[in-house]
Amino acid sequence: MIHEQVEALAHSSNFPDGSSQTELVETHISWVILTRQFAFKIKKPVHFSFLDFSTLALRKHICEEEVRLNRRLTDIYLAVVPIVYDGRQYGIGIQGETIDYAVKMKRVDGSRQMDLLLKEGLVTPKDIEAIAVMVAHFHRNARVVRRHFDEEEMRRDFSDLLTVIPVLTEQVNEKFSALIPGWIELSAAVLKKYHQRFAERVEENFVRDGHGDLHSRNIFLLEKPVIFDCIEFNEHLRFNDVLSELAFLAMDLDRFGRSDFKEFLIKKYQEKFDCFPQPEDFVIFQYYLFYRATVRLKIAGLSLQEELVEPTTDPDVIRQEILSLATLCSNYAQQLKDKVLE
């Protein structure tokens, strides 16, 4: 579908709950139409280096994967439904020619999104414990990914940060030209020094088919936490050491200035699933905190590039986020350097 068709669909009343009042939310890879009871997520026909939604068949398959994978964590994902055109109007749940597909979900109260609640100081230790228990249970039961540790692949993943040096230098601060190469050197040093332990963790079944994008924006804090929007379009981004996934959420808590919640999250997670059996694992966790912070920095940098700018994005807000993330990366780098040089 194209934007004009999605707009026409959003302004119709052709939805299963009969909604005439809808809200359309747009990101760089999807449109989401919110009705009274449901959310309908539609893939944009885009093709980037990390995903391919360019054909109808691919979009249908990815929608099916999104439902299958997210149902491991929540029941809000209901079905993949066809979007049809009857010659006059677009709709879901009406007769006509199938022109695309959407993921149908239960609508959830958006004000309960965890990142918003963190900003407002409304997240509680009880919330953090519930998330820790849920994630630990998910990881314990997730499919083990059997593969050899690939140090070169991890070096390449980290070094991908080089791609945003130009935009960060031009639009934020010239210091990035000096900072990022140093971070990449540090990453390589850690991977080399702890290569054996990284490899042992693979053999000890700590690499799982996880969520891939576990941060506070992808969690609703209801009576029971709702963890949603896992990465369905790229296995490489979803297959991780559980320490890496735990570090993603822990880093996000640090980003909001809640290191107390970070430590509590780790403690409660470990009570259910001990993923730190060796002393070196704490250094590896520190590495993953650093890596995940650089990933967020890279995404923020990409958001300043024209092809990935979301319609509601305020560039000044992104620049402020980048400066905050750069500080976090620098802090993690110093902590990691102290450990590596011990």
Side-chain angles (χ1 to χ4, degrees):
M1 296 184 76
I2 61 174
H3 187 271
E4 290 75 15
Q5 292 173 315
V6 175
E7 284 273 7
L9 172 63
H11 289 100
S12 75
S13 300
N14 297 323
F15 296 99
D17 58 0
S19 290
S20 57
Q21 297 295 318
T22 64
E23 180 182 350
L24 177 60
V25 179
E26 184 173 358
T27 74
H28 60 275
I29 62 172
S30 65
W31 296 283
V32 180
I33 299 174
L34 301 173
T35 69
R36 186 173 58 253
Q37 297 179 27
F38 305 112
F40 296 93
K41 186 176 179 181
I42 305 163
K43 312 292 184 187
K44 288 185 175 180
V46 293
H47 188 182
F48 297 125
S49 60
F50 55 92
L51 62 80
D52 185 359
F53 297 165
S54 59
T55 71
L56 181 62
L58 283 170
R59 292 194 295 278
K60 180 183 180 184
H61 171 70
I62 293 299
C63 284
E64 291 167 346
E65 284 295 277
E66 181 169 1
V67 172
R68 179 182 71 84
L69 291 164
N70 279 288
R71 277 180 174 171
R72 298 175 301 167
L73 279 158
T74 178
D75 64 357
I76 70 169
Y77 287 78
L78 301 175
V80 177
V81 294
I83 302 169
V84 304
Y85 181 62
D86 67 1
R88 296 182 303 104
Q89 56 187 344
Y90 300 94
I92 293 174
I94 65 172
Q95 296 297 312
E97 176 190 1
T98 297
I99 61 166
D100 222 313
Y101 294 90
V103 173
K104 179 183 178 183
M105 297 172 278
K106 297 177 186 176
R107 182 168 181 176
V108 180
D109 180 1
S111 69
R112 298 300 300 172
Q113 204 160 294
M114 185 178 177
D115 61 327
L116 303 179
L117 297 176
L118 280 166
K119 291 176 184 176
E120 296 167 5
L122 297 177
V123 177
T124 68
K126 182 179 178 182
D127 294 323
I128 299 298
E129 181 172 5
I131 293 167
V133 170
M134 181 177 288
V135 173
H137 180 267
F138 169 60
H139 283 165
R140 223 176 33 240
N141 292 284
R143 178 170 67 89
V144 172
V145 177
R146 303 194 181 279
R147 64 180 184 187
H148 295 293
F149 171 66
D150 190 337
E151 181 180 333
E152 286 304 312
E153 181 180 66
M154 291 187 69
R155 287 184 184 225
R156 288 194 300 272
D157 286 347
F158 199 102
S159 297
D160 197 45
L161 190 59
L162 288 169
T163 61
V164 295
I165 286 182
V167 68
L168 294 180
T169 300
E170 293 166 10
Q171 296 202 38
V172 185
N173 193 309
E174 61 185 14
K175 70 179 181 179
F176 287 103
S177 294
L179 277 175
I180 290 176
W183 293 345
I184 291 172
E185 288 180 14
L186 176 59
S187 168
V190 174
L191 291 170
K192 181 179 180 181
K193 182 173 181 178
Y194 293 94
H195 177 103
Q196 182 176 345
R197 184 57 196 152
F198 276 104
E200 288 172 352
R201 289 187 60 82
V202 177
E203 296 303 316
E204 292 169 10
N205 297 332
F206 284 119
V207 176
R208 303 288 173 111
D209 183 353
H211 182 283
D213 201 20
L214 187 62
H215 55 83
S216 59
R217 193 176 178 183
N218 288 338
I219 301 174
F220 289 113
L221 294 179
L222 308 180
E223 184 175 345
K224 176 183 176 183
V226 173
I227 300 174
F228 69 106
D229 206 20
C230 83
I231 291 179
E232 78 284 358
F233 51 78
N234 188 320
E235 289 184 344
H236 176 62
L237 299 177
R238 201 176 65 246
F239 293 175
N240 292 295
D241 188 315
V242 294
L243 280 184
S244 179
E245 192 142 284
L246 180 63
F248 204 163
L249 183 54
M251 176 277 298
D252 209 27
L253 293 171
D254 269 342
R255 188 167 68 91
F256 282 100
R258 297 308 304 256
S259 57
D260 56 332
F261 279 169
K262 178 188 78 172
E263 297 304 325
F264 190 57
L265 172 79
I266 296 166
K267 177 178 181 291
K268 290 301 178 181
Y269 180 100
Q270 278 188 270
E271 289 175 0
K272 299 298 181 180
F273 184 26
D274 183 10
C275 56
F276 294 87
Q278 299 298 328
E280 300 96 323
D281 294 332
F282 291 95
V283 181
I284 288 175
F285 182 70
Q286 185 67 42
Y287 172 81
Y288 282 130
L289 285 170
F290 180 40
Y291 169 64
R292 290 299 189 174
T294 65
V295 169
R296 294 295 289 184
L297 180 65
K298 180 179 70 175
I299 292 170
L302 289 172
S303 296
L304 289 178
Q305 296 179 347
E306 186 176 351
E307 66 269 22
L308 289 181
V309 170
E310 297 181 7
T312 57
T313 297
D314 182 342
D316 288 335
V317 172
I318 297 174
R319 291 186 186 97
Q320 191 58 46
E321 180 184 2
I322 286 169
L323 291 172
S324 175
L325 285 165
T327 299
L328 187 59
C329 288
S330 295
N331 291 340
Y332 285 151
Q334 187 57 56
Q335 294 165 22
L336 195 56
K337 192 178 297 183
D338 293 342
K339 293 179 182 297
V340 172
L341 295 178
E342 286 177 353

